[in-house]
Amino acid sequence: MSSFGAEVIWNRTTTEKFTDRRYSRAHVWRFDGGVEVPASSSPHVVPLPYSVEENVDPEEAYVAALSSCHMLFFLHFASDSGFVVDQYADAAIGDIATIDGKTMITNVTLRPKVTYGGDAPDAALEGDLHHRAHEACFLANSVKTEITVTPVS
């Protein structure tokens, strides 16, 4: 089987005491191939100015990763079924709640809108493609989060 990795790099600035919890949560995610993504805690979790609002936070990345995994399998199954997908856009959203004293993303709703070149599958077949994509997604198979797929017409 494969393994996957990422580097996460954070540095304290010399003006930050650190033990007073007044330090920047800005950091960098570095992936193979050299891609770097500016990251931070969410301002919903750690208030500004200690978070960086424009950076990607772990919660957003989690939702995006689930959406991306689903999309990639959907495209695979649509291609195998002879459908030409021109565009796939998802406005995914994750909800956080506290259950049994643990805060977690309890639900992620994927809201894919798929545009086809040529013939499109009927609603039942498109639903089956999404079901198969959900069942095949490595990430969906790895988490407790409830994942709902609600295609947008």
Side-chain angles (χ1 to χ4, degrees):
M1 203 61 195
S2 300
S3 61
F4 302 90
E7 288 182 76
V8 178
I9 303 139
W10 174 88
N11 291 295
R12 180 179 66 87
T13 65
T14 56
T15 60
E16 296 172 327
K17 182 177 176 182
F18 187 76
T19 55
D20 62 0
R21 299 168 84 184
R22 294 174 183 246
Y23 56 89
S24 175
R25 277 34 170 220
H27 56 284
V28 173
W29 298 338
R30 185 178 299 145
F31 299 94
D32 59 353
V35 171
E36 291 189 357
V37 176
S40 175
S41 57
S42 168
H44 299 288
V45 178
V46 176
L48 300 172
Y50 307 109
S51 292
V52 182
E53 193 167 17
E54 61 270 15
N55 289 12
V56 177
D57 62 62
E59 297 82 3
E60 293 169 325
Y62 179 76
V63 171
L66 288 168
S67 175
S68 181
C69 184
H70 181 90
M71 178 199 69
L72 292 167
F73 276 106
F74 180 90
L75 295 174
H76 172 79
F77 292 131
S79 175
D80 279 356
S81 297
F83 296 104
V84 175
V85 175
D86 283 344
Q87 183 180 46
Y88 183 108
D90 186 3
I93 190 158
D95 299 312
I96 291 184
T98 301
I99 299 175
D100 297 330
K102 293 182 180 183
T103 303
M104 63 185 79
I105 296 180
T106 55
N107 181 59
V108 170
T109 302
L110 307 180
R111 298 179 293 182
K113 179 172 177 53
V114 183
T115 305
Y116 298 90
D119 293 334
D122 62 25
L125 181 51
E126 186 176 59
D128 181 62
L129 293 170
H130 281 295
H131 175 76
R132 290 169 53 202
H134 177 71
E135 291 296 312
C137 174
F138 311 143
L139 299 180
N141 291 330
S142 302
V143 299
K144 291 194 244 183
T145 302
E146 179 183 337
I147 301 167
T148 306
V149 181
T150 307
V152 176
S153 300

